[in-house]
Amino acid sequence: MTVRAVIEGAGHYLPERVVPNSWFEGWLDTSDEWIRSRSGIERRRFAADDEATSDLATHAARAALDAAGLNVDDIDGVIVATSTPDLTFPSVATMVQRDLGMTHGFGFDVQAVCAGFIYALTNANALIIAGQARRLLVIGAETFSRIMDWQDRSTCVLFGDGAGAVVLSAQEGNGTPDDRGILSADLNSDGRYREMLYVDGGVSTTGDAGKLRMQGNPLFRQAVEKLTETADVALEKIGLSGSDVDWIVPHQANIRIIQGTARKMGVPMDRVILTVQDHGNTSAASIPLALSVGAADGRIRKGDLVLSEAIGGGLAWGAVALRW
Ligand code: UT7
């Protein structure tokens, strides 16, 4: 008997405020045409002033519990992937516990920037396989609008706010890639790439939250190469390849990165879940948001092989292969 961590339900939450590309034309030397053609982004959501990351995360968690037909008493722990926490501490996960009325179990945050959800899923899978938990809420939630430099046209047009969540639960499998659940994962990071994507503030340096800085073009080139490699490694671990994949559910940073990676993997674009046009880059929230959208509209179905990959600040990158 093999223990598998199976997704029982997915949900998401997007803040009400929709911001079209044209909004930036008012004060920045940019255009809807440039943003669409270079990134694929048409609009994004920004959280309200009184909405924090934990609020977004809690809404998404409730939606995932509803989709799974479960309530908070069924959950053993909460893991939140985020780089934009409400406070330096405590973790967003403990605030989600509080807001869900969950007085048992544990909660902690994972910080691997845009790869955060891949890291969180991999950790959750390990906890379930080790018998530390039977059911976990795994959430990606971000308010990147709070760390934008609104005068930097090369970054502020790209990011958005949102949250996505899944309920992962222990189920029995037979140890083959036909099992439902997480089948393999590949994690990587390399701190030599720090300058490509970082935030220029923090607790032990400037004492404030700082603003996001990115060298977009060099990062773009790293992204396609590293995402293809990590996706291949995750699939090779279970003896599968791109042709076995029903859905790529990628990190949604740039449609051209997504297209380049899919092409290199030999997966046609009609088997890729795309949300970048509506959400922009929501960092650790982008994959669970896309999983939730794809499941809710009936594209991702029970038994489908899903491959998710992501790269972000660090650089940190990785992939997870799972059967829905
Ligand atoms: O989620 C974490 C991972 N993130 C990523 O992987 C993002 C990776 N990078 C990208 O998505 C792309 O590199 C960008 C969308 C950021 C930029 O696209 P690009 O094709 O790499 O453009 P570029 O940076 O080479 O810039 C081309 C031109 C430059 O002008 P010059 O030097 O050619 O005169 C930029 O100054 O576009 C200019 N530019 C803009 N123009 C209008 C940069 N930002 C803008 C803008 N509007 N918002």
Side-chain angles (χ1 to χ4, degrees):
M1 197 272 282
T2 304
V3 176
R4 296 290 196 188
V6 175
I7 293 183
E8 279 192 291
H12 68 268
Y13 173 77
L14 290 160
E16 235 170 74
R17 183 176 167 208
V18 180
V19 178
N21 291 344
S22 56
W23 183 73
F24 295 92
E25 294 173 344
W27 80 93
L28 272 181
D29 180 15
T30 190
S31 64
D32 174 47
E33 199 283 326
W34 190 94
I35 301 169
R36 271 176 206 254
S37 62
R38 303 318 290 169
S39 72
I41 297 166
E42 298 171 20
R43 59 194 71 80
R44 75 286 292 136
R45 306 285 186 111
F46 287 157
D49 290 345
D50 62 352
E51 250 180 340
T53 297
S54 67
D55 298 317
L56 277 51
T58 303
H59 284 302
R62 287 209 178 95
L65 286 169
D66 284 349
L70 297 169
N71 66 58
V72 76
D73 298 331
D74 301 312
I75 302 298
D76 299 326
V78 178
I79 304 177
V80 177
T82 189
S83 301
T84 46
D86 300 25
L87 301 172
T88 300
F89 73 76
S91 64
V92 173
T94 57
M95 299 188 207
V96 172
Q97 278 188 296
R98 177 199 61 194
D99 294 344
L100 291 175
M102 179 177 169
T103 52
H104 64 279
F106 62 87
F108 65 92
D109 291 357
V110 169
Q111 207 268 56
V113 202
C114 299
F117 190 73
I118 297 290
Y119 275 65
L121 261 192
T122 305
N123 275 282
N125 182 45
L127 286 169
I128 285 174
I129 289 171
Q132 288 288 327
R134 288 199 59 78
R135 275 210 187 93
L136 293 171
L137 263 169
V138 187
I139 305 168
E142 303 278 18
T143 47
F144 262 51
S145 63
R146 305 278 156 77
I147 52 166
M148 289 298 108
D149 174 350
W150 298 108
Q151 300 308 318
D152 179 3
R153 67 176 184 169
S154 69
T155 55
C156 73
V157 301
L158 301 173
F159 292 87
D161 302 336
V166 299
V167 177
L168 267 192
S169 78
Q171 294 189 16
E172 283 182 22
N174 57 25
T176 74
D178 293 334
D179 287 346
R180 292 187 65 211
I182 295 177
L183 301 172
S184 68
D186 180 55
L187 300 182
N188 311 270
S189 57
D190 186 339
R192 288 174 302 172
Y193 294 105
R194 193 195 87 152
E195 299 306 312
M196 275 189 194
L197 180 51
Y198 68 101
V199 169
D200 64 4
V203 180
S204 71
T205 51
T206 62
D208 61 31
K211 300 294 178 203
L212 181 145
R213 307 291 169 205
M214 182 169 82
Q215 298 169 359
N217 197 267
L219 178 55
F220 185 101
R221 279 181 267 120
Q222 289 293 331
V224 176
E225 187 187 310
K226 288 186 162 41
L227 290 173
T228 309
E229 195 177 296
T230 188
D232 285 347
V233 170
L235 289 169
E236 274 164 19
K237 285 183 182 181
I238 46 172
L240 300 179
S241 68
S243 58
D244 299 301
V245 171
D246 293 301
W247 295 106
I248 299 181
V249 184
H251 172 47
Q252 313 274 330
N254 185 315
I255 194 165
R256 294 183 296 133
I257 294 175
I258 296 171
Q259 288 164 337
T261 308
R263 188 167 51 244
K264 284 190 164 202
M265 288 176 65
V267 177
M269 283 304 289
D270 61 4
R271 285 199 275 133
V272 178
I273 305 286
L274 276 181
T275 54
V276 66
Q277 68 284 358
D278 296 323
H279 303 166
N281 183 347
T282 57
S283 190
S286 86
I287 288 175
L289 266 163
L291 285 172
S292 173
V293 167
D297 68 20
R299 278 179 293 172
I300 305 176
R301 296 190 195 160
K302 201 170 176 177
D304 283 353
L305 185 73
V306 173
L307 187 287
S308 286
E309 27 80 349
I311 187 166
L315 297 178
W317 66 102
V320 165
L322 63 90
R323 198 170 292 286
W324 196 259

